[in-house]
């Protein structure tokens, strides 16, 4: 089928550049990525990912981490796993 439908959208220049760099590494164009996205919407009859408003606890956590508070760092994956296991 001929591709004759046109989509025009505005986005932040930095976002556009970053995404196009990623798509180039993946070997696909912006047009191909948009078509993939649209196909997934068509197949799933909705967005191919959850879109939700974060709950109060999640929002508080975002605020803390954005401020650099209550962050945990680990030198290795093993250290992280040990911490998670208690």
């Amino acid at each position: 089928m001929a591709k004759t439908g046109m989509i025009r959208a505005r986005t932040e220049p930095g976002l556009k550049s970053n995404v196009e760099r990623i798509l180039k590494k993946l070997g696909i164009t912006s047009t191909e990525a948009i078509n993939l996205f649209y196909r997934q919407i068509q197949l799933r009859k909705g967005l191919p990912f959850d879109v939700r408003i974060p709950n109060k606890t999640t929002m508080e956590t975002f605020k803390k981490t954005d401020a650099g508070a209550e962050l945990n760092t680990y030198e290795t994956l093993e250290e992280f796993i040990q911490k998670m296991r208690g």
Side-chain angles (χ1 to χ4, degrees):
M1 176 178 277
K3 294 181 182 176
T4 59
M6 178 69 76
I7 299 169
R8 290 182 52 121
R10 297 201 182 277
T11 191
E12 298 169 20
L15 174 63
K16 180 180 182 286
S17 295
N18 290 337
V19 169
E20 286 175 345
R21 200 169 333 170
I22 293 166
L23 293 174
K24 185 174 182 176
K25 287 180 183 178
L26 293 171
I28 63 174
T29 66
S30 296
T31 297
E32 290 167 329
I34 291 167
N35 283 319
L36 284 169
F37 181 61
Y38 270 50
R39 291 265 181 223
Q40 286 298 308
I41 292 170
Q42 183 180 37
L43 286 169
R44 297 168 187 259
K45 307 245 185 297
L47 292 175
F49 47 81
D50 288 341
V51 178
R52 301 182 207 177
I53 298 170
N55 64 31
K56 184 179 177 182
T57 301
T58 301
M59 287 303 296
E60 289 171 3
T61 302
F62 287 162
K63 287 178 187 175
K64 288 177 188 173
T65 57
D66 287 348
E70 297 184 28
L71 297 175
N72 297 311
T73 58
Y74 304 94
E75 295 294 322
T76 65
L77 176 61
E78 290 76 22
E79 183 183 348
F80 168 75
I81 291 170
Q82 279 183 324
K83 176 71 175 178
M84 293 299 107
R85 288 184 177 158

